Amino acid sequence: MLSTITKILSTVDDFVWGLPLIILILATGLFLTVRLRGLQIKRLPLAIKYMFSSDEEDGSGEVSSFAALCTALSATIGTGNIVGVATAIVSGGPGALFWMWMAAIVGTATKYAECLLAVKYRVVEKDGHVIGGPFYYIENGMGKQFRWLAKIFAIFGIMVGLFGIGTFTQINGITSAIGNFFDKESVHYVNLFGRDYSLTIIISGIVLTFFVALVLIGGLKRISNVAQIIVPFMAIIYVAVVMIILILNLGKIPAALIEIVQSAFGLRAFGGGMFGAMIVAMQKGIARGIFSNEAGLGSAPIAAAAAQSKEEVRQGLISMLGTFIDTIIICTMTGLSIVITGAWDMGLEGVAVTTEAFQIGLPFSNSVSAFILMVCLVFFAFTTILGWDYYSEKCLEYIIGNKPKAITVYRWIYIACIFIGPYMTVKAVWTIADICNGLMAIPNLIALIALNGVVVRETKSFFERGVHNKI
């Protein structure tokens, strides 16, 4: 029965993430890059300046621009950066990392556009709280006649939260990492649902579910407060640790880069013939890239809409840094460490791949290296769980309206999904996540193409008015 379900899910995943969606994602990002004249590259220094600026604008919103970025990063920097990169390279070869880069470069323009639109078309409810995102720029930007498309996005957004990025993959990654560290051989186990599970996985799952519940009860402000502390700190720690691996293996980096490019175009025919290998690398790289940085998915705009900013372009620039930090910096470092150490080709899967890379590459004992990775993964995934609860709640709110009791019920359902996540297989978890991500991206990409003129017009007006020189 389980194998049949897995086979069905794999078939659906291959269909959703076939060439049409891959082309749509890349084409949308490339189209916006051309229309914005490479803004994501030319205006990167300005975006960094805004990120560190303490001057807040007098605009509608619930949290600071930096807090909004951290909330978005809390949802993007997670298992995708550690486990997702590993599964992409194992499934699609080292070339998958190249296609993650391509998706990220053009995806930065996509992230800019969607976050700009989120601020422009957001709505302030009667009680003063702000809600915005693709559902509102579809409805208010494209017109009321496209409300059905907005609702489809919101439904898929709830699915991604409950069954995709938000719950199963994160808690599964956390508990697997803790289990691999404290009880790798599953010496202490119990039998549940016909399978043996380590007591470490069960206990860690219960403890993490409890702490998630404590934070989620506090809503957006508590989530953003936690994110502002954990995300920057853990990102710096993780980057510093992986830098040690890269510095110690500096001489291997050129060969690894050559292998990545050759694999990306099927010149090292991993998994079939040349064309087949390239398609697999593209599919896994882009799918995991989108999973990790969420450019085009439509999630980050939900957080951006809550920022205290009246200048849409400013928030768009700040928000686009999420893709740069997530993929160009963190995913690249993880991927290089995996390729350099050869951990991707050892018959391992999931977090075990990155753990092996850390143990080979770091000048510490295996237990210390595994512990460092486990701690990073726990905090990254923990904040992702929090961020995606906020996203999916807003999607639900768009569909049913501002009904606090219904939102509270949903919150407990979300917590229940976290509770059961550790008992699912790695392959099933990531396949479900891929399917939900792909379905959520389609309505958002349609809206970005339809509203590209608005994005260009607002961007042009911002720089012509010289606002960037005043902030």
Side-chain angles (χ1 to χ4, degrees), residues 94-241:
L97 184 58
F98 175 87
W99 293 110
M100 289 182 77
W101 294 337
M102 294 302 101
I105 290 171
V106 298
T108 306
T110 306
K111 181 70 71 73
Y112 166 80
E114 58 189 358
C115 291
L116 180 155
L117 290 170
V119 176
K120 180 174 178 59
Y121 292 108
R122 64 187 174 185
V123 171
V124 181
E125 297 289 351
K126 292 179 181 178
D127 61 1
H129 86 279
V130 177
I131 178 173
F135 29 80
Y136 273 122
Y137 58 70
I138 289 173
E139 179 181 329
N140 297 333
M142 294 175 65
K144 301 291 185 184
Q145 67 271 29
F146 288 99
R147 186 178 291 169
W148 60 271
L149 188 65
K151 288 185 177 180
I152 288 175
F153 171 85
I155 290 168
F156 289 150
I158 295 168
M159 289 173 61
V160 172
L162 287 178
F163 311 120
I165 298 176
T167 55
F168 292 160
T169 53
Q170 307 303 328
I171 193 69
N172 194 279
I174 291 174
T175 54
S176 293
I178 294 174
N180 284 340
F181 181 78
F182 288 105
D183 190 17
K184 191 172 184 179
E185 303 301 326
S186 296
V187 176
H188 307 287
Y189 67 90
V190 294
N191 189 280
L192 294 173
F193 317 116
R195 294 183 61 195
D196 293 335
Y197 292 95
S198 168
L199 276 172
T200 305
I201 289 178
I202 295 171
I203 293 169
S204 60
I206 292 171
V207 171
L208 283 162
T209 302
F210 172 75
F211 280 109
V212 166
L214 283 181
V215 178
L216 293 187
I217 291 169
L220 171 61
K221 290 193 175 178
R222 186 178 294 178
I223 291 171
S224 65
N225 287 339
V226 171
Q228 283 185 89
I229 297 169
I230 294 178
V231 172
F233 176 73
M234 288 313 303
I236 291 170
I237 294 294
Y238 184 76
V239 167
V241 170

Side-chain angles (χ1 to χ4, degrees), residues 159-454:
M159 289 173 61
V160 172
L162 287 178
F163 311 120
I165 298 176
T167 55
F168 292 160
T169 53
Q170 307 303 328
I171 193 69
N172 194 279
I174 291 174
T175 54
S176 293
I178 294 174
N180 284 340
F181 181 78
F182 288 105
D183 190 17
K184 191 172 184 179
E185 303 301 326
S186 296
V187 176
H188 307 287
Y189 67 90
V190 294
N191 189 280
L192 294 173
F193 317 116
R195 294 183 61 195
D196 293 335
Y197 292 95
S198 168
L199 276 172
T200 305
I201 289 178
I202 295 171
I203 293 169
S204 60
I206 292 171
V207 171
L208 283 162
T209 302
F210 172 75
F211 280 109
V212 166
L214 283 181
V215 178
L216 293 187
I217 291 169
L220 171 61
K221 290 193 175 178
R222 186 178 294 178
I223 291 171
S224 65
N225 287 339
V226 171
Q228 283 185 89
I229 297 169
I230 294 178
V231 172
F233 176 73
M234 288 313 303
I236 291 170
I237 294 294
Y238 184 76
V239 167
V241 170
V242 180
M243 276 299 294
I244 295 173
I245 298 176
L246 299 182
I247 291 170
L248 292 176
N249 294 274
L250 206 57
K252 296 180 181 179
I253 293 179
L257 292 173
I258 291 171
E259 183 178 10
I260 289 167
V261 175
Q262 287 180 337
S263 175
F265 294 97
L267 299 178
R268 296 195 179 195
F270 175 85
M274 179 176 172
F275 182 72
M278 185 176 80
I279 295 301
V280 171
M282 286 180 68
Q283 182 189 37
K284 299 303 179 183
I286 294 172
R288 293 292 184 266
I290 295 299
F291 179 95
S292 181
N293 63 51
E294 299 174 17
L297 198 61
S299 52
I302 300 173
Q308 294 167 339
S309 177
K310 63 183 179 183
E311 288 291 349
E312 300 93 341
V313 171
R314 172 188 165 125
Q315 189 56 44
L317 289 169
I318 293 173
S319 295
M320 80 178 189
L321 288 173
T323 300
F324 181 81
I325 294 168
D326 179 273
T327 305
I328 302 300
I329 296 177
I330 298 179
C331 285
T332 295
M333 297 181 76
T334 302
L336 279 175
S337 68
I338 290 170
V339 175
I340 285 170
T341 58
W344 68 277
D345 200 20
M346 295 182 178
L348 302 171
E349 68 171 11
V351 71
V353 178
T354 316
T355 301
E356 185 70 19
F358 270 49
Q359 290 175 336
I360 294 172
L362 289 173
F364 312 127
S365 66
N366 285 353
S367 58
V368 171
S369 299
F371 180 78
I372 292 171
L373 180 65
M374 179 196 70
V375 171
C376 291
L377 182 59
V378 167
F379 281 102
F380 280 172
F382 181 76
T383 54
T384 300
I385 290 170
L386 304 181
W388 264 98
D389 171 74
Y390 173 70
Y391 290 162
S392 53
E393 280 186 18
K394 291 302 179 183
C395 288
L396 179 63
E397 185 178 334
Y398 174 76
I399 294 174
I400 67 172
N402 185 18
K403 297 180 180 178
K405 289 184 179 179
I407 298 298
T408 300
V409 171
Y410 172 80
R411 205 169 284 176
W412 284 108
I413 294 172
Y414 188 90
I415 292 168
C417 286
I418 295 167
F419 181 76
I420 67 174
Y423 311 109
M424 301 183 69
T425 64
V426 172
K427 187 171 182 180
V429 161
W430 283 92
T431 303
I432 292 170
D434 277 350
I435 293 169
C436 293
N437 287 358
L439 293 174
M440 183 180 178
I442 293 171
N444 185 52
L445 293 170
I446 292 171
L448 292 177
I449 294 170
L451 297 172
N452 77 88
V454 176

Side-chain angles (χ1 to χ4, degrees), residues 447-465:
L448 292 177
I449 294 170
L451 297 172
N452 77 88
V454 176
V455 175
V456 173
R457 186 168 61 249
E458 292 293 338
T459 303
K460 187 177 180 182
S461 171
F462 179 83
F463 289 107
E464 284 182 347
R465 288 183 286 125

Side-chain angles (χ1 to χ4, degrees), residues 8-91:
I8 292 171
L9 287 173
S10 295
T11 303
V12 175
D13 184 32
D14 289 339
F15 174 76
V16 171
W17 280 102
L19 270 179
L21 182 56
I22 290 174
I23 292 171
L24 179 61
I25 290 171
L26 290 178
T28 301
L30 186 60
F31 174 67
L32 289 169
T33 297
V34 172
R35 290 281 281 141
L36 294 167
R37 300 180 181 180
L39 173 138
Q40 72 268 42
I41 297 171
K42 291 193 299 184
R43 298 296 182 178
L44 185 62
L46 181 63
I48 294 171
K49 174 190 170 184
Y50 286 164
M51 182 176 70
F52 291 108
S53 174
S54 59
D55 297 328
E56 290 295 337
E57 298 175 85
D58 185 23
S60 300
E62 298 182 68
V63 295
S64 68
S65 293
F66 181 71
L69 174 63
C70 285
T71 302
L73 280 173
S74 74
T76 56
I77 299 179
T79 57
N81 302 87
I82 297 173
V83 184
V85 176
T87 57
I89 294 175
V90 168
S91 302

